[in-house]
Amino acid sequence: MYNNVTIFDHPLIQHKISLMRGKDTGSKDFRELLREIAMLMGYEVTRDLPTVDVFCAHDNDDCFYGVDSDHNMIGRMAAEYFMSKRYSTMAFAGFKGVPFSGMRLRGFSGIMQGSGLVPLVHEAEMKNNNQTFFNDEVVDVVDSRKLAVWLRRLPRHTAIFAANDLMAAQISRLAVENAIRIPSDMLLL
């Protein structure tokens, strides 16, 4: 009947909906049931997706499991996007000696070089700060002074591909501090 309607017939979802409809269900229980249903719906809508192999980042019993990305492809996709928008000046801001950053740069550069372009690259030493990834506030991941100098030297209308969200957040903050308007003066991805 409707192409964009999904009917969830999973028994747990149906059970939790019936509990929510109960006249004695308080608002706290209602919210908890709603959260549980949302989680179950997430499982249902993704059950036909292919599984992804995970790896262990440490060789001891305190293993941190993670899913890795195709970083080279991410770099290629960024360059292709910038080129589709007809940017002729493109830049990469990444981390020196960090594997994922290097792979993204290789993919980004490879696409550009195939079109006779060369990216403007800033690879900085990543600060050794364990709080960088676990803090509620954004922490600088590289030396702000050097990054700001590089940003000011970029030609107007440069498309910048940041290696990750932390680098993009730092570039965005520095752009504001240096009166560089995103996206009018520069594009940041």
Side-chain angles (χ1 to χ4, degrees), residues 70-144:
D70 185 343
H71 300 292
N72 193 283
M73 175 61 80
I74 291 168
R76 293 194 311 266
M77 290 171 63
E80 288 168 353
Y81 175 76
F82 289 160
M83 292 172 81
S84 76
K85 298 297 179 188
R86 303 206 187 281
Y87 278 89
S88 57
T89 307
M90 294 175 253
F92 175 81
F95 307 104
K96 193 180 299 181
V98 176
F100 82 86
S101 181
M103 289 184 271
R104 290 179 181 199
L105 175 57
R106 279 191 295 282
F108 188 69
S109 299
I111 293 295
M112 291 181 61
Q113 289 167 356
S115 297
L117 301 170
V118 177
L120 304 170
V121 177
H122 179 78
E123 282 190 294
E125 295 287 336
M126 191 172 203
K127 286 184 177 180
N128 187 9
N129 181 349
N130 291 334
Q131 296 301 310
T132 300
F133 300 102
F134 303 105
N135 215 337
D136 287 340
E137 60 189 62
V138 175
V139 177
D140 289 348
V141 288
V142 298
D143 185 323
S144 286

Side-chain angles (χ1 to χ4, degrees), residues 1-162:
M1 182 181 204
Y2 297 103
N3 293 337
N4 59 352
V5 174
T6 302
I7 297 174
F8 294 100
D9 57 357
H10 193 282
L12 284 174
I13 293 176
Q14 290 179 349
H15 172 69
K16 290 182 185 300
I17 288 174
S18 67
L19 291 175
M20 287 174 72
R21 290 180 177 153
K23 66 178 183 175
D24 296 330
T25 303
S27 60
K28 179 182 178 290
D29 291 334
F30 185 90
R31 283 192 304 272
E32 287 175 4
L33 288 164
L34 183 61
R35 256 191 298 274
E36 291 172 15
I37 289 171
M39 183 180 63
L40 290 168
M41 288 171 67
Y43 290 137
E44 283 292 298
V45 298
T46 59
R47 73 174 153 182
D48 293 330
L49 292 177
T51 57
V52 176
D53 192 16
V54 296
F55 66 93
C56 180
H58 303 288
D59 291 334
N60 58 27
D61 291 337
D62 297 330
C63 196
F64 172 76
Y65 290 97
V67 177
D68 206 2
S69 302
D70 185 343
H71 300 292
N72 193 283
M73 175 61 80
I74 291 168
R76 293 194 311 266
M77 290 171 63
E80 288 168 353
Y81 175 76
F82 289 160
M83 292 172 81
S84 76
K85 298 297 179 188
R86 303 206 187 281
Y87 278 89
S88 57
T89 307
M90 294 175 253
F92 175 81
F95 307 104
K96 193 180 299 181
V98 176
F100 82 86
S101 181
M103 289 184 271
R104 290 179 181 199
L105 175 57
R106 279 191 295 282
F108 188 69
S109 299
I111 293 295
M112 291 181 61
Q113 289 167 356
S115 297
L117 301 170
V118 177
L120 304 170
V121 177
H122 179 78
E123 282 190 294
E125 295 287 336
M126 191 172 203
K127 286 184 177 180
N128 187 9
N129 181 349
N130 291 334
Q131 296 301 310
T132 300
F133 300 102
F134 303 105
N135 215 337
D136 287 340
E137 60 189 62
V138 175
V139 177
D140 289 348
V141 288
V142 298
D143 185 323
S144 286
R145 292 170 309 205
K146 291 178 182 176
L147 185 57
V149 168
W150 179 74
L151 279 174
R152 287 191 299 267
R153 290 182 179 165
L154 290 174
R156 196 159 185 260
H157 301 296
T158 297
I160 304 169
F161 172 41

